[in-house]
Amino acid sequence: MVEITSPPRRGPGRLTTWLKTPWAVAAGLIGAVALLDPAQLVAVVRFATAALAGTAPYILFAVLLLAWLKATGAEVLVARAFEGRETRMILLAALFGGLAPFCSCEVIPFIAGLLALGAPLSAVMAFWLSSPLIDPPTLLITAGALGWPFAIGKAVAAVGLGLFGGFVVRALSAGGALSDPLRNAKTRGCGCGAPKTTAPRWRFWTEPERTRVFRAEFLGNGVFLLKWMTLAYVIEALLVTYVPAQVIAGLVGGEGVVPIATAALVGMPAYLNSYVAPPLLAGLMEQGMTAGAAMAFMVAGAVSSIPAMAAVWSLVRPSVFALYLGLGLTGAVIAGLVFQML
């Protein structure tokens, strides 16, 4: 007698994993359109495909640039911003915050090390506020979706927010506040990135390990950007097709402080990431969102992104965390107002 046994049960398979990805969400949204409103299917797919194709050159260049920065170990240049006088540190930290090629998990041990070694909280805050806002890849993605004037405005807002936060913290620290900002929790890195050196290795292809880093970063970031941008453009197509323009205009349209402040408040909890936001905002602006409100939404959302907030919360005391969010929200409104006037 032959006993027939069932195969052993396996854990979540590839299908289950795939269902949790942006690919699955995008496919599900398109499938819903095909099922519920088939007359709009071609228009939605055509809009999303055309938008993605238009941004593809920016995505490719951004992925190449980020892979090159990581393989060369260019993050050592960022560490030099935290040397010298405090005013100089704040200025350089705000500037380098927008250029740092760190992955989100690398920021945590980097900042923890700086604070543990006595770097002033003012310079660290300047870096922390500007770093989530802009980097070479997101600058290119923003330019591709919203145009270079908006992308440059976002970069200027990033540096401005870093300076604003840095000098506010410096003034508060001068009065004796914000002493001992670190929690007692230990942090550790994720181990990603090229081998650490005291200077960048620009000819990284001469070292096999750095070549592997370049290849891994290129493929990893390429897939990451492609899947999120696909989802973003599908959502943008749905926004343009189904959300009445008067609804958007009623919430964040018009002139003045109220629409900009509303956009900043909505942007903090609603934000996804710096790669999804530009195409979504492009769709909202087509529906009536003002440029100032879009800028406030993007700035506030970047500061409140999950990696950025997790990095702050894991390292500093609640009072410093609250200050971080308050500075981010205030800076977002100011950035929106200034961009609106220009």
Side-chain angles (χ1 to χ4, degrees), residues 145-156:
L146 297 169
W148 278 107
F150 197 99
I152 294 172
K154 182 184 177 185
V156 173

Side-chain angles (χ1 to χ4, degrees), residues 11-189:
R14 292 184 178 181
L15 178 60
T16 304
T17 302
W18 182 83
L19 290 174
K20 300 177 182 179
T21 65
W23 299 119
V25 178
L29 292 173
I30 294 175
V33 173
L35 181 64
L36 302 174
D37 191 8
Q40 295 291 340
L41 177 61
V42 174
V44 169
V45 173
R46 183 179 297 164
F47 183 100
T49 303
L52 184 61
T55 313
Y58 294 93
I59 296 176
L60 177 61
F61 186 79
V63 170
L64 286 170
L65 178 60
L66 187 59
W68 177 75
L69 288 172
K70 294 294 293 182
T72 57
E75 60 263 38
V76 298
L77 297 178
V78 179
R80 296 175 186 172
F82 297 89
E83 300 174 354
R85 296 183 178 181
E86 186 173 2
T87 299
R88 173 183 176 276
M89 281 190 276
I90 295 173
L91 293 172
L92 291 180
L95 178 61
F96 278 111
L99 302 175
F102 290 114
C103 62
S104 59
C105 56
E106 280 186 324
V107 172
I108 300 175
F110 180 79
I111 295 297
L114 289 172
L115 289 173
L117 291 173
L121 180 62
S122 58
V124 173
M125 184 67 75
F127 181 84
W128 239 333
L129 286 170
S130 62
S131 182
L133 263 173
I134 199 73
D135 54 42
T138 56
L139 178 68
L140 294 170
I141 297 298
T142 303
L146 297 169
W148 278 107
F150 197 99
I152 294 172
K154 182 184 177 185
V156 173
V159 176
L161 179 60
L163 293 174
F164 169 69
F167 284 110
V168 167
V169 170
R170 180 183 180 182
L172 293 174
S173 300
L178 304 177
S179 58
D180 191 22
L182 274 176
R183 290 176 182 264
N184 293 324
K186 296 181 180 180
T187 59
R188 59 187 180 89

